[in-house]
Structure formats: structure tokens, C-alpha cells
Amino acid sequence: MDEAQRRACESYVAGLFAPEDEVLADLRRAMKESGLPEIFISPEEGRLLQVLLKSIGARKVVELGTLGGYSAIWMARALPEDGLLISIEREELRADLARRYLVRAGVSDRVQVRVGEARELLERIEVDGPFDAVFIDADKLSYPAYLDWAQANIRRGGLVIADNAFQEGGVLEAESDDPDILGIQEFNRRVATDPRLTSIVVPTRDGVAIALVN
Ligand code: MG
């Protein structure tokens, strides 16, 4: 299968398994128009998150890196009515956009978007834990620190999920001094080898790491 066929298969999967509704499609356009970086997850990755969260009966989930709320909508829709997604974002403008679309998507009752530095906010929400899952999609440099937090605050049988496990191919560099690449490489090494985790990277667009807490 060549590259074009692989992309066509991705579109086939997205169309069959993960069609966007009007809200998600509008949000995708709004994010582009407001000049947000086009780094949000794909519809099929959104669906993957839903399958994962439902498979563990997730009720309480943390997201690092809300951006425009695209992934938050996908995840919130996989939670029960009394579920809670705490989504952490550094930039107020992004959080505002996300909140508007979470309302439109009908899930604002189960999503809290909190603005600030992730490490600080993570410390503050520990009292609400343990959590069922965390989706890490924020600054790559901090992935190892986020993994530390996750291992202390995700329940047994819960999931640590992380986007950009390939860092655009950067993980293949043997002697990188790019702190983002180093962060992802360390994260991958740890989730791959820690006996307390059962892990894999699913080779979606930029790779999604999935680690089950044993
Ligand atoms: Mg990402």
C-alpha cells in the first residue's frame, strides 16, 4: 500500500467510523479561521479516544491542551451524563473558543476548561482524583512530568493516552538536542518499558501512545 492509498484508507475510516457532526465541522473551520495551529486530532483519533474511554467505563478524565475543544467534544461524548472532563489550557482565547463549542455540542455540563499552567493546575485537581484517564496533548517537553503525574493519579485499569508520539518523525533522531523530541523520546521509552504499564503506540497521523495502568 503506498502513501496515497494509506491516506485514502484513513479517510475511509473517518467517513465510516467517525463522521463529524455540524458542530465538530464548524469548530474545525473556526479554529482555522482564528489562526489556531492545525494540530488538533483527526476524527478517527477522536473516535479512538471514545472507544478507549468507553472500554474502561471512564467517568473522570483529564485533558492537557484544550486548544479549540475539538478533542474535548469527542471525549465528553463518550462520558456518562454524570461524567467529568477537566481540560487544561494555557491560553484564554483558545479556552473561550472551546467553551463556546462545548455548549453548542451539548456537553458543557460535563466539561470544565481551566486556564493556566498545566503543572500547577494538575497539582490542584489531585484532590478530585483518582482519575480514569488522561489525554496528554500539550507541550512535548513536559510529557515525562505529565507521565509522573498520571502514574500517581490514574486509577488501576485506567489509561494514559498521549498524542504526537512520533513528534513528526523526530523520535527517530538518535542524537537530537531538541527538547520537544527529547521529551517525547523519554515518554515513549518509559511507557514502553515500565512494568506497571501495558503500552503501545498506534500509528495514526502523528502517533497516539496508549498505556494501560496495570
Ligand atoms: Mg497533538
Side-chain angles (χ1 to χ4, degrees), residues 57-62 79 83-85 127-134 154:
R59 273 193 60 246
K60 276 194 291 181
V61 178
V62 176
L79 297 180
L84 172 66
L85 169 65
V127 289
D128 300 317
F131 295 90
D132 300 303
V134 59
I154 301 296

Side-chain angles (χ1 to χ4, degrees), residues 17-178:
F17 291 88
E20 288 178 319
D21 67 357
E22 206 185 312
V23 181
L24 286 167
D26 282 355
L27 173 54
R28 179 186 291 282
R29 274 191 294 275
M31 287 193 292
K32 283 183 185 173
E33 280 161 17
S34 57
L36 287 186
E38 286 182 44
I39 52 172
F40 38 89
I41 60 165
S42 63
E44 60 274 24
E45 288 170 328
R47 190 64 176 158
L48 174 64
L49 290 174
Q50 291 188 333
V51 172
L52 290 170
L53 294 182
K54 285 196 175 216
S55 71
I56 60 159
R59 273 193 60 246
K60 276 194 291 181
V61 178
V62 176
E63 175 178 49
L64 303 176
T66 313
L67 198 65
Y70 187 83
S71 42
I73 292 174
W74 279 101
M75 287 193 284
R77 286 177 169 171
L79 297 180
E81 265 175 43
D82 64 343
L84 172 66
L85 169 65
I86 298 176
S87 186
I88 292 173
E89 171 56 50
R90 193 156 46 188
E91 297 185 28
E92 190 67 62
L93 274 175
R94 296 176 175 187
D96 282 346
L97 180 68
R99 289 189 187 109
R100 284 207 304 277
Y101 276 84
L102 288 161
V103 171
R104 266 194 63 187
V107 290
S108 56
D109 59 325
R110 68 198 78 164
V111 185
Q112 298 174 5
V113 181
R114 302 199 186 175
V115 180
E117 286 304 319
R119 293 197 205 196
E120 226 171 90
L121 292 178
L122 282 174
E123 229 181 272
R124 244 184 274 166
I125 64 171
E126 278 177 14
V127 289
D128 300 317
F131 295 90
D132 300 303
V134 59
F135 177 52
I136 305 169
D137 193 13
D139 61 303
K140 311 309 167 199
L141 166 72
S142 303
Y143 270 38
Y146 298 148
L147 180 59
D148 287 335
W149 184 89
Q151 291 194 278
N153 292 282
I154 301 296
R155 67 159 165 94
R156 270 190 185 193
L159 289 168
V160 183
I161 311 166
D163 189 29
N164 306 106
F166 294 155
Q167 187 60 7
E168 315 265 297
V171 287
L172 302 175
E173 288 179 30
E175 283 172 39
S176 176
D177 53 11
D178 178 326

